[in-house]
Amino acid sequence: VFDEHLARQAFAEVAAEQAQRQTEQSRAAAYRTEADPLLFKYQAGEVTKEEWLAKREEIRARYPYPS
């Protein structure tokens, strides 16, 4: 017997998992292209730790995890 409520619940769970994965992938790509280079520059003394950490916070704000 088809239970529409269970089907909707399952769909919502799958959508939430996909949103979580998409956020993780977006963050990972942004860290690689934006924050990691600043980390290396920080380690070389070319930028401050605050600049690197600010970029990480900016990425987290841009790609918040779904509630």
Side-chain angles (χ1 to χ4, degrees):
V1 173
F2 179 75
D3 186 332
E4 187 173 337
H5 175 72
L6 287 178
R8 288 177 193 251
Q9 184 178 4
F11 180 79
E13 288 173 8
V14 169
E17 290 170 5
Q18 289 175 335
Q20 178 76 18
R21 277 195 305 277
Q22 179 61 46
T23 298
E24 290 170 358
Q25 291 171 354
S26 296
R27 279 188 177 194
Y31 288 140
R32 276 192 307 276
T33 60
E34 301 173 41
D36 288 356
L38 288 179
L39 171 60
F40 302 138
K41 287 183 177 185
Y42 162 61
Q43 291 171 333
E46 298 173 10
V47 300
T48 66
K49 183 176 183 179
E50 290 73 25
E51 289 173 287
W52 166 57
L53 293 176
K55 178 56 72 175
R56 290 177 51 85
E57 287 302 318
E58 175 189 317
I59 292 168
R60 287 184 187 119
R62 189 180 338 145
Y63 300 111
Y65 283 120
S67 301

